[in-house]
Amino acid sequence: LQQRAPGKVLHDAVCNHLNLVEGDYFGLEFPDHKKMMVWLDLLKPVMKQIRRPKHIVVKFVVKFFPPDHAQLQEELTRYLFALQVKQDLAQGRLTCNDTSTALLISHIVQSEIGDFDETIDREHLAKNKYIPQQEALEDKIMEFHRNHMGQTPAESDFQLLEIARRLEMYGIRLHPAKDREGTKINLAVANTGILVFQGHTKINAFNWAKVRKLSFKRKRFLIKLRPDVNSSFQDTLEFLMASRDFCKSFWKICVEHHAFFRLFEEPKPKPKPVLFSRGSSFRFSGRTQKQVLDYVKEGGHKKVQFERKHSKIHSIRNLTTQPSEQHTEVPKQVSDSSSFAYGDDNDAAAVQSCRQEKELKASTEDTGQHKSPSVKKSPKEGRKVDGAVVSTVEEEEEAAKDRMQQNRPQSQQPSTGSLTGSPHLSELSINSQGGPSVANMSLSPNLSPDAKQSSPLISPLLNDPSCIRTDDEEEVKRKRFPTEKAYFIAKEVATTERTYLKDLEVITSWFQSAVGKEDCMTETLKTLIFSNFEPLHKFHTGFLKEIEQRLALWEGRSNAHVKGDYQRIGDVMLKNIQSMKQLTTHLWKHNEILMELENGIKNSRKLETFCRDFELQKVCYLPLNTFLLRPLHRLMHYKQIMERLCKHYPPSHIDFRDSRAALAEISEMVAQVHGNMIKMENFQKLHELKKDLIGIDNLVIPGREFIRLGSLSKLSGKGLQQRMFFLFNDILLYTSRGLTASNQFKVHGHLPLYGMTIEESEEEWGVPHCLTLRGQHQSIVVAASTRAEMDKWTEDIQMAIDLAEKSSGPAPELLASSPPDNKSPDETTVDQESEDDLSASRTSLERQSPHRGNTTVHVCWHRNTSVSMIDFSIAVENQLSGNLLRKFKNSNGWQKLWVVFTNFCMFFYKSHQDNHPLASLPLLGYSLTIPSESENIHKDYVFKLHFKSHVYYFRAESEYTFERWMEVIRSATSSASRTRALSHKEPHAY
């Protein structure tokens, strides 16, 4: 360490040694010359702060405790926080009743020795003292430990923090002081503001929103409050501390807490005065919490594995890793001067970097072309064996980077840590059942905050050399086929029909086969569903065969002599659309099918569980009820294709008359089902949202219409906190998401729209893109990520308010199970819970119902964006399938993939014959552009998708297909405003 190096250099060196990405939550603490514990100032030279380094122990400890441990994205960070809780318990700093203490220790024991065994437990507790007088609680600790069967160390950390964060003394460091009357008190600072304690009991709190200024004068600590007519407090509060040094030290940590939790970015240094300075020049240095969250979400770092020193559990996930004989611990000597430990020396966090590359081996047994569909009876067992075979493309991109370093010798280390791609994107991996390969095992992080293996997309399924095409191959193939636009329009009919047929098979083959093995559905409902889907499947099988035969003739791949007569598609479309009219009775039944299935799910827990488990299968790549509406959506696709064909043909063309007649026939069919289809899409969307929400009853009621969902920041005493908002025509819900197995959003509160007003309030609160929503009984302040997002929300909320004013609408008390939130923006929104209730509130991750984390709601949460019902309607119209060549930013060759675009997402297959996708790429938040000259692509028909550090190139086969892909993807990447969307659409139901 250089002599004049600032404290930040030392702090960064420790974080780098630990491979700790979220190191900003931690600080270095040491005793000064008066034996008072102080924090290392990151701006001052280390040597000026630590005068006698050989005799000083510097501790690396948690400095900033976030309001919700779910904000900690990295497993390593949560592990270090868990060690901090363990140390605070041992030192008596974290005080709580016996029940909470025993519950906390039971999770620590579970993480260290695994599942309950009475003999082992007693031996372990005898050797390890977690609190003084532990003997009295040992029976209660073992009683709780018995309930944690199957819980992994990472899950134990998560549950430990879930319990600890609800305790009053969590993360609290008491600073002795006196009030004006001379009463002995303790001051503390937290993420919410400044707290006042008498002993270990909190007697007052001053939230950051109420604090106008913090200062100190000698031994006096001063808090200047904002004026409040409802408050009895004086304008300035004064507390007396033991000395000026104590007072200044507490003032510094208050300034740092305020900056870390409340500011968007690190405050800029003040200009130095010319003549003399007055007051302290101290300022917060480092990233704020928002900057840390944004950095981790961007995924610009690489995940590493780590070793849990205290855990005796050998992770079953590391099937390919052999333990190393050498363990690199956190060094106790650095630069032969200061000693470092995580708290006490005996609790040193032996965290090490695992610099081995990701495991590149994966089974290729499961190619996705199964003949006999089946559903596993135990989704939990299937998940542990099969893993998430459908994953996000960002993970595959990370794997591609690793393969470039495949030949470097790497040492393998034992681990229980995580190994994924970008954390905010790996969250979107589809959790699914399926293949037999254990090597493909990859636990989805939406199921538990546990360790993950590398994606199976690293396997030859998507990355074998045979998929890489040379430019010569492409040119030869391109010259062999027709080049006219009509041919590519006809080809679009064929490619999208292949996908549609696969979607029908999800119901007629996979779902029907699964239903036949389980006694969960009434015969009446079975008959209703399958008797109406099977005729459609049979018809469209023949329809696809005709289209493919015509394309073969058109391409010259047949023995036809008169080639010109077959260079058209209108006659085939007219014939089949006319035949399709005979199936109208089956199409009209789809509304009834959707409603009866949802009623069956509502009335039968067994059917509900079965359908939820089926949605976890690889073939069910979309919500199940979406497949039930596919036949109605397909009619619109035929109409759009025929409109493009008729627009392309001149009236004199041989195919024009048949094409126009086919367009008239299909337009008539669409007009008949259009009104009903809009209602069904709203009905389907409400039921889909119901699966994503907990804490609300009767979301689906007559008259309720969904309008918009998305991520906004809500202003409270804790600062800006990310919340998921759901706007309906009568009410606005706001929710939060935790890293739980169910992966659902918990409703925090709701605002009835009747009588609500909305106004911009950037200047009032000093927050960009800020809105104040004033209801009849409460108000909230929210902030959007961009000006465009704010405008969309403003427009839709105002429209919803106008609708609520015109009609009485559903009664707000229908949301009885949602906890009312009557707090003003200045007040905190911490869920209150007594310590005695903590044992009842704990959740065992493996017992909760799995829930897929790739829904649009989760994508909006991670991408910090929103979508409206109009966006969903546009997405239904903008679906496309076909072959594309894909290239990563740092790769050389182009890889041919079968791509399906639907529901704002690209799904990737090795070929169109595969039954399920191998990867997915949600496009909300992505930018769509054409590569610049500097990117050296030098190919025709290439478009570029990029989101922060993720860049992908896709290459189409013709100008027409290039324009079509650009058109449909643009509909997902650039959400249109309501006004612009309705200007070119028929009037919407709203």
Side-chain angles (χ1 to χ4, degrees):
L1 194 67
Q2 293 181 357
Q3 190 171 359
R4 298 186 60 83
K8 182 172 173 54
V9 173
L10 181 58
H11 182 272
D12 290 348
V14 176
C15 293
N16 291 336
H17 179 77
L18 298 176
N19 283 292
L20 182 61
V21 176
E22 297 171 301
D24 303 80
Y25 291 102
F26 301 83
L28 295 170
E29 190 181 44
F30 64 96
D32 66 2
H33 63 286
K34 295 182 180 179
K35 303 300 181 183
M36 182 178 74
M37 296 301 293
V38 294
W39 294 102
L40 186 74
D41 190 324
L42 301 186
L43 295 178
K44 288 185 178 179
V46 175
M47 294 305 177
K48 284 190 176 182
Q49 301 181 69
I50 305 176
R51 302 286 184 178
R52 302 174 66 192
K54 290 185 179 180
H55 305 284
I56 296 296
V57 176
V58 180
K59 296 182 179 181
F60 184 72
V61 293
V62 177
K63 187 175 185 179
F64 301 111
F65 290 79
D68 187 356
H69 60 293
Q71 293 175 333
L72 304 174
Q73 303 293 321
E74 299 283 306
E75 183 185 328
L76 172 58
T77 313
R78 291 194 293 271
Y79 171 53
L80 295 179
F81 265 72
L83 287 181
Q84 184 71 63
V85 170
K86 176 183 172 183
Q87 185 191 75
D88 289 350
L89 271 175
Q91 295 178 348
R93 185 179 286 162
L94 180 59
T95 58
C96 52
N97 63 25
D98 288 350
T99 301
S100 299
T101 302
L103 186 56
L104 288 167
I105 296 174
S106 70
H107 283 294
I108 296 172
V109 172
Q110 174 71 21
S111 71
E112 292 184 355
I113 65 174
D115 291 342
F116 175 79
D117 182 291
E118 186 169 355
T119 304
I120 297 176
D121 271 37
R122 290 200 182 277
E123 291 177 0
H124 184 76
L125 290 172
K127 295 177 182 177
N128 297 271
K129 297 299 178 185
Y130 297 104
I131 56 170
Q133 290 83 46
Q134 178 176 292
E135 294 77 9
L137 291 179
E138 285 187 1
D139 289 339
K140 187 172 281 191
I141 292 169
M142 290 193 293
E143 180 186 340
F144 284 134
H145 185 204
R146 192 191 303 270
N147 298 326
H148 304 330
M149 294 292 288
Q151 195 166 281
T152 66
E155 291 168 344
S156 297
D157 290 347
F158 189 85
Q159 295 298 339
L160 177 75
L161 297 176
E162 173 65 27
I163 297 161
R165 77 180 180 95
R166 298 173 185 270
L167 301 175
E168 195 163 71
M169 296 301 294
Y170 174 64
I172 296 300
R173 292 188 173 214
L174 299 177
H175 299 257
K178 293 180 182 179
D179 63 13
R180 280 186 172 176
E181 286 73 37
T183 306
K184 289 184 178 181
I185 57 166
N186 288 306
L187 297 179
V189 62
N191 57 78
T192 56
I194 298 173
L195 312 177
V196 183
F197 288 81
Q198 206 155 39
H200 286 82
T201 303
K202 185 169 70 173
I203 60 173
N204 219 330
F206 303 102
N207 296 327
W208 293 126
K210 295 179 180 178
V211 176
R212 184 178 173 187
K213 183 180 180 181
L214 294 174
S215 60
F216 71 96
K217 190 172 183 180
R218 296 186 179 89
K219 296 193 293 183
R220 290 183 296 153
F221 180 74
L222 306 171
I223 305 175
K224 191 168 187 177
L225 300 176
R226 296 182 185 276
D228 187 351
V229 294
N230 299 320
S231 175
S232 60
F233 288 121
Q234 302 172 8
D235 178 54
T236 302
L237 300 172
E238 184 177 310
F239 299 94
L240 192 67
M241 305 193 82
S243 67
R244 180 186 182 278
D245 289 343
F246 273 105
C247 194
K248 184 176 182 180
S249 176
F250 181 63
W251 172 79
K252 281 184 175 182
I253 191 63
C254 289
V255 170
E256 290 180 314
H257 269 72
H258 177 269
F260 183 76
F261 288 108
R262 296 280 288 182
L263 300 185
F264 283 101
E265 57 187 20
E266 178 183 353
K268 295 180 174 62
K270 296 178 182 178
K272 292 185 178 181
V274 178
L275 297 176
F276 59 89
S277 62
R278 184 180 179 184
S280 174
S281 62
F282 175 79
R283 65 179 176 88
F284 170 75
S285 175
R287 294 182 298 191
T288 65
Q289 188 191 27
K290 183 180 185 304
Q291 289 176 311
V292 175
L293 291 173
D294 289 345
Y295 173 75
V296 177
K297 281 186 176 183
E298 286 177 13
H301 60 283
K302 187 168 183 176
K303 298 278 184 136
V304 295
Q305 295 176 308
F306 65 92
E307 178 196 0
R308 294 168 179 268
K309 178 185 176 184
H310 304 287
S311 181
K312 299 176 183 177
I313 307 168
H314 295 287
S315 175
I316 61 167
R317 291 169 183 79
N318 299 306
L319 301 175
T320 60
T321 332
Q322 296 299 324
S324 171
E325 294 180 3
Q326 296 178 344
H327 301 288
T328 308
E329 298 187 11
V330 176
K332 295 182 181 177
Q333 295 290 329
V334 177
S335 302
D336 296 325
S337 55
S338 299
S339 173
F340 287 89
Y342 189 92
D344 294 337
D345 289 343
N346 62 345
D347 259 345
V351 183
Q352 65 184 21
S353 166
C354 183
R355 297 177 177 84
Q356 78 225 35
E357 62 182 306
K358 297 179 183 177
E359 178 60 44
L360 299 182
K361 297 177 182 177
S363 171
T364 57
E365 294 175 19
D366 182 12
T367 61
Q369 302 179 29
H370 301 292
K371 298 298 180 183
S372 57
S374 64
V375 179
K376 295 187 185 296
K377 292 185 179 180
S378 172
K380 189 191 298 183
E381 290 177 10
R383 191 164 58 253
K384 287 185 178 179
V385 173
D386 305 321
V389 175
V390 184
S391 188
T392 51
V393 174
E394 283 85 352
E395 291 175 319
E396 186 185 353
E397 180 191 19
E398 292 294 323
K401 293 177 183 177
D402 281 357
R403 286 196 302 278
M404 297 174 69
Q405 303 175 0
Q406 189 170 2
N407 295 325
R408 297 183 184 177
Q410 305 286 350
S411 62
Q412 293 181 326
Q413 304 284 357
S415 161
T416 57
S418 60
L419 183 61
T420 60
S422 169
H424 71 291
L425 294 169
S426 61
E427 291 264 3
L428 308 177
S429 303
I430 300 176
N431 169 38
S432 51
Q433 313 293 329
S437 169
V438 178
N440 275 349
M441 182 172 61
S442 172
L443 294 183
S444 174
N446 58 54
L447 294 173
S448 76
D450 200 359
K452 284 84 69 176
Q453 280 280 29
S454 54
S455 168
L457 297 174
I458 302 167
S459 74
L461 289 173
L462 275 182
N463 291 297
D464 59 24
S466 62
C467 288
I468 307 298
R469 291 190 166 274
T470 65
D471 296 330
D472 292 339
E473 282 183 81
E474 282 304 308
E475 289 304 318
V476 170
K477 185 180 176 185
R478 194 172 294 176
K479 291 175 182 177
R480 214 168 48 228
F481 290 111
T483 56
E484 61 265 37
K485 185 176 180 178
Y487 163 77
F488 289 108
I489 294 176
K491 193 171 183 180
E492 182 182 337
V493 178
T495 56
T496 53
E497 191 73 10
R498 286 171 182 165
T499 299
Y500 174 53
L501 202 58
K502 285 290 183 185
D503 288 348
L504 290 178
E505 287 172 3
V506 171
I507 302 297
T508 61
S509 180
W510 297 88
F511 189 60
Q512 186 172 10
S513 174
V515 167
K517 297 175 182 177
E518 301 283 344
D519 183 24
C520 59
M521 187 182 290
T522 63
E523 291 299 324
T524 305
L525 184 54
K526 286 182 188 177
T527 304
L528 177 64
I529 296 175
F530 303 121
S531 66
N532 285 289
F533 267 86
E534 285 173 346
L536 293 176
H537 181 266
K538 182 178 179 182
F539 171 79
H540 286 279
T541 301
F543 184 17
L544 176 59
K545 189 175 181 181
E546 279 193 56
I547 296 171
E548 289 178 335
Q549 287 174 345
R550 175 56 58 89
L551 284 174
L553 293 169
W554 202 328
E555 295 166 359
R557 291 186 283 123
S558 70
N559 297 323
H561 297 292
V562 188
K563 187 177 177 182
D565 292 341
Y566 297 103
Q567 292 184 341
R568 54 179 178 165
I569 196 67
D571 56 333
V572 177
M573 295 298 295
L574 178 60
K575 173 195 166 187
N576 282 279
I577 288 173
Q578 288 173 340
S579 302
M580 212 181 296
K581 281 195 164 185
Q582 300 171 12
L583 301 173
T584 305
T585 53
H586 298 296
L587 293 173
W588 278 105
K589 285 284 186 180
H590 284 66
N591 300 347
E592 184 182 347
I593 291 171
L594 182 60
M595 298 184 75
E596 288 300 320
L597 179 60
E598 293 296 346
N599 287 336
I601 290 173
K602 183 179 180 181
N603 298 324
S604 169
R605 179 63 60 86
K606 191 173 183 180
L607 180 58
E608 179 187 11
T609 303
F610 170 80
C611 291
R612 184 185 63 229
D613 291 346
F614 181 79
E615 282 194 329
L616 297 177
Q617 303 304 302
K618 292 181 288 187
V619 293
C620 193
Y621 66 101
L622 298 172
L624 178 60
N625 54 18
T626 302
F627 292 101
L628 299 179
L629 294 179
R630 273 294 191 250
L632 302 181
H633 297 161
R634 187 59 179 155
L635 296 181
M636 289 196 304
H637 301 158
Y638 291 141
K639 180 173 180 283
Q640 291 175 330
I641 289 171
M642 296 316 300
E643 284 174 344
R644 281 194 292 274
L645 195 61
C646 289
K647 187 177 180 180
H648 167 68
Y649 281 145
S652 58
H653 195 279
I654 188 174
D655 201 27
F656 179 75
R657 178 176 294 182
D658 286 342
S659 299
R660 190 171 60 177
L663 174 60
E665 297 276 4
I666 196 64
S667 297
E668 183 183 344
M669 293 180 69
V670 169
Q672 290 174 358
V673 301
H674 184 258
N676 216 23
M677 185 166 60
I678 289 177
K679 294 178 183 176
M680 284 300 101
E681 285 176 358
N682 181 70
F683 180 80
Q684 181 262 334
K685 188 55 61 182
L686 289 176
H687 277 282
E688 186 181 331
L689 293 178
K690 186 173 72 171
K691 298 173 187 175
D692 281 312
L693 297 174
I694 53 174
I696 178 171
D697 294 329
N698 301 324
L699 180 68
V700 185
I701 56 175
R704 176 163 289 155
E705 295 177 5
F706 164 69
I707 297 178
R708 181 175 288 276
L709 65 85
S711 172
L712 293 171
S713 295
K714 180 176 176 290
L715 185 63
S716 70
K718 302 175 185 179
L720 286 172
Q721 291 189 302
Q722 187 179 10
R723 293 286 181 259
M724 199 69 189
F725 281 75
F726 298 83
L727 176 65
F728 302 92
N729 63 334
D730 62 322
I731 204 159
L732 177 67
L733 302 178
Y734 54 94
T735 67
S736 68
R737 174 185 177 275
L739 294 175
T740 62
S742 61
N743 214 25
Q744 292 168 289
F745 289 82
K746 178 185 176 183
V747 175
H748 276 253
H750 64 275
L751 282 80
L753 296 180
Y754 187 82
M756 181 189 286
T757 59
I758 180 172
E759 59 189 54
E760 293 188 25
S761 51
E762 291 187 19
E763 293 184 3
E764 180 181 356
W765 296 102
V767 178
H769 322 307
C770 185
L771 298 171
T772 300
L773 306 176
R774 303 188 188 280
Q776 291 184 328
H777 304 293
Q778 67 179 108
S779 300
I780 63 171
V781 179
V782 298
S785 57
T786 63
R787 180 75 195 187
E789 276 293 304
M790 185 186 81
D791 291 341
K792 292 174 192 174
W793 278 105
T794 303
E795 188 178 358
D796 280 353
I797 292 174
Q798 187 59 59
M799 180 212 62
I801 292 172
D802 295 341
L803 288 176
E805 295 289 340
K806 293 176 183 176
S807 62
S808 57
E813 57 266 20
L814 288 169
L815 297 168
S817 69
S818 301
D821 188 348
N822 299 319
K823 299 165 186 167
S824 72
D826 287 348
E827 296 176 331
T828 61
T829 56
V830 178
D831 295 332
Q832 298 298 324
E833 184 172 4
S834 68
E835 293 178 6
D836 293 330
D837 294 334
L838 288 176
S839 60
S841 70
R842 73 183 188 277
T843 55
S844 179
L845 292 178
E846 69 274 6
R847 291 194 206 109
Q848 296 184 22
S849 304
H851 185 77
R852 60 194 303 164
N854 69 314
T855 62
T856 307
V857 179
H858 291 83
V859 179
C860 287
W861 173 267
H862 291 290
R863 302 278 167 80
N864 208 14
T865 186
S866 69
V867 291
S868 67
M869 189 62 200
I870 285 186
D871 294 324
F872 281 109
S873 298
I874 293 174
V876 165
E877 298 174 7
N878 287 282
Q879 298 181 18
L880 196 59
S881 308
N883 286 312
L884 284 175
L885 297 177
R886 186 196 61 186
K887 178 184 177 299
F888 293 131
K889 179 170 62 175
N890 297 320
S891 62
N892 295 321
W894 293 84
Q895 183 182 16
K896 185 178 180 181
L897 296 170
W898 176 259
V899 183
V900 174
F901 175 80
T902 184
N903 201 34
F904 311 107
C905 189
M906 296 175 84
F907 295 92
F908 300 97
Y909 303 73
K910 195 173 181 184
S911 78
H912 69 84
Q913 296 173 328
D914 291 352
N915 287 320
H916 57 78
L918 297 170
S920 64
L921 181 64
L923 294 185
L924 288 172
Y926 265 77
S927 297
L928 175 68
T929 57
I930 297 173
S932 63
E933 286 291 328
S934 61
E935 293 172 86
N936 296 320
I937 298 299
H938 306 308
K939 301 293 177 187
D940 294 330
Y941 317 131
V942 175
F943 59 90
K944 171 184 171 183
L945 285 169
H946 58 100
F947 175 78
K948 296 185 176 178
S949 61
H950 302 285
V951 177
Y952 311 100
Y953 301 99
F954 293 92
R955 188 172 158 199
E957 63 179 344
S958 69
E959 183 180 0
Y960 171 80
T961 51
F962 168 77
E963 290 173 352
R964 285 289 294 134
W965 281 107
M966 291 283 285
E967 179 184 350
V968 298
I969 292 175
R970 192 176 286 117
S971 70
T973 56
S974 55
S975 172
S977 69
R978 175 172 296 274
T979 306
R980 194 156 56 90
L982 290 178
S983 66
H984 66 273
K985 288 174 61 70
E986 298 178 43
H988 200 268
Y990 305 137

